[in-house]
Amino acid sequence: MNAVQSQGTALVTGASSGIGAIYAERLAARGFDLLLVARDQDRLEAAAGKLRVEHGVQVEVLRADLTQSEDVLKLEQRLRSDSSISLLLNNAGVAADGLLANADMDQMERLIQLNVTTVTRLASAAAASFAKAGRGTIINIASVVALFPERFNAIYSASKAYVLSLTQSLNAELDGTGVRVQAVLPGVTRTEIWERSGIDASQIPAEMVMDAGEMVDAALSGLDQGELVTIPSLPDAADWDAFVAARHVLAPNLSKSKAAPRYK
Ligand SMILES: NC(=O)c1ccc[n+]([C@@H]2O[C@H](COP(=O)([O-])OP(=O)(O)OC[C@H]3O[C@@H](n4cnc5c(N)ncnc54)[C@H](OP(=O)(O)O)[C@@H]3O)[C@@H](O)[C@H]2O)c1
């Protein structure tokens, strides 16, 4: 056992596998107590037992289906009332394959509920609670497809563009409150998400696929470095800075009283 001083409690959604399970381990190693959330209670209990023994932290398991509003509401209430929670990892998500025209829209509504609505409701509750406390961290897991929607499923990509946009706005809103906000944009990462969404990941070139441990370690390094947006595989941070700068070049001309001459 290797206990370090508690950093408060990290609420991790989607902690039963993949990226969320790795974050839970890394956050425990950093001294966070944990509130682990997902649907598969057996997997959560198994992870919790291991983390308690290996890191000497408190770990609570909360079974929730985050496509169900009553389960999401319970989690929001917990975020608003439990002042020990100091970090929200908005990670639970599902992917999808196929064309928008052929989509099973009931299934896609559940994707939007999980990837968009739940992320938003939890971020709102955390923002209120953390700002009141003058501290806290909100990490939202987006995806690089937020930047390249033509390369992947339309609804999934749009859901991740939403997460990026939400994080950027929230960061501006929380300026000066002491609350940290980060969007993480993983590229292809080796987890169960591919199999779960019926995508054959074996066709993806190996040099494009990162192990989840490496992805999470890079994301936490980005958090430590104070990044708002972390793209774990991007070799040169100046490329992202140039992208952001291009947006600021547009800014003064995005809303004017007259249409541009080329439209007249
Ligand atoms: N892997 C990639 O290539 C990649 C790339 C970019 C972004 N991401 C994002 O990373 C995040 C984590 O994905 P992952 O790759 O780690 O996938 P994963 O291994 O499939 O894990 C997804 C997690 O979300 C939970 N979850 C799914 N549906 C849920 C529901 N209705 N209610 C509560 N929890 C639910 C799952 O737990 P239960 O099944 O136990 O509920 C699981 O713990 C997602 O937001 C994903 O979009 C992944």
Side-chain angles (χ1 to χ4, degrees):
M1 195 188 305
N2 191 13
V4 288
Q5 186 169 6
S6 178
Q7 305 288 319
T9 300
L11 191 170
V12 178
T13 69
S16 63
S17 77
I19 292 167
I22 302 273
Y23 260 109
E25 195 278 322
R26 301 301 200 259
L27 291 170
R30 287 178 172 224
F32 282 90
D33 294 321
L34 296 168
L35 177 52
L36 304 181
V37 181
R39 293 165 304 180
D40 189 330
Q41 183 144 6
D42 291 346
R43 283 179 97 176
L44 290 178
E45 297 285 5
K50 196 162 171 281
L51 293 170
R52 284 184 201 113
V53 171
E54 287 178 1
H55 298 287
V57 295
Q58 314 256 7
V59 187
E60 183 184 338
V61 161
L62 207 158
R63 203 206 90 83
D65 182 340
L66 299 176
T67 62
Q68 299 300 310
S69 37
E70 54 279 21
D71 285 8
V72 179
L73 199 58
K74 273 188 215 144
L75 217 50
E76 285 174 66
Q77 280 161 352
R78 179 71 185 265
L79 268 166
R80 288 182 196 278
S81 63
D82 182 348
S83 61
S84 76
I85 299 175
S86 59
L87 187 147
L88 168 65
L89 177 68
N90 244 331
N91 164 77
V94 289
D97 196 16
L99 304 177
L100 184 59
N102 302 335
D104 171 343
M105 285 314 298
D106 291 333
Q107 195 187 336
M108 290 303 103
E109 271 199 32
R110 288 193 293 279
L111 182 156
I112 293 166
Q113 177 77 40
L114 182 65
N115 293 14
V116 173
T117 310
T118 295
V119 167
T120 311
R121 297 193 67 113
L122 297 183
S124 170
S129 173
F130 294 174
K132 203 158 80 188
R135 56 102 188 97
T137 303
I138 300 172
I139 304 171
N140 294 327
I141 305 297
S143 163
V144 289
V145 298
L147 305 175
F148 239 119
E150 300 87 346
R151 296 267 179 95
F152 200 64
N153 174 269
I155 299 173
Y156 179 77
S157 301
S159 78
K160 294 302 183 179
Y162 177 95
V163 173
L164 174 58
S165 171
L166 182 83
T167 310
Q168 289 167 312
S169 299
L170 191 58
N171 183 58
E173 287 182 17
L174 290 173
D175 188 32
T177 61
V179 182
R180 287 279 331 272
V181 183
Q182 182 196 30
V184 177
L185 276 58
V188 181
T189 310
R190 205 167 277 116
T191 70
E192 293 170 20
I193 201 168
W194 301 95
E195 203 182 325
R196 285 180 194 239
S197 49
I199 300 170
D200 180 9
S202 68
Q203 303 306 316
I204 303 172
E207 62 271 20
M208 286 181 68
V209 186
M210 194 178 288
D211 279 335
E214 179 144 353
M215 201 296 285
V216 171
D217 288 336
L220 284 169
S221 168
L223 182 72
D224 294 341
Q225 291 174 46
E227 288 184 350
L228 167 61
V229 176
T230 296
I231 304 175
S233 69
L234 191 72
D236 190 351
D239 289 343
W240 171 254
D241 294 340
F243 185 78
V244 173
R247 208 164 62 94
H248 285 286
V249 170
L250 291 176
N253 293 315
L254 292 177
S255 181
K256 295 198 156 241
S257 59
K258 296 272 184 276
R262 72 181 177 288
Y263 298 124
K264 291 185 178 157

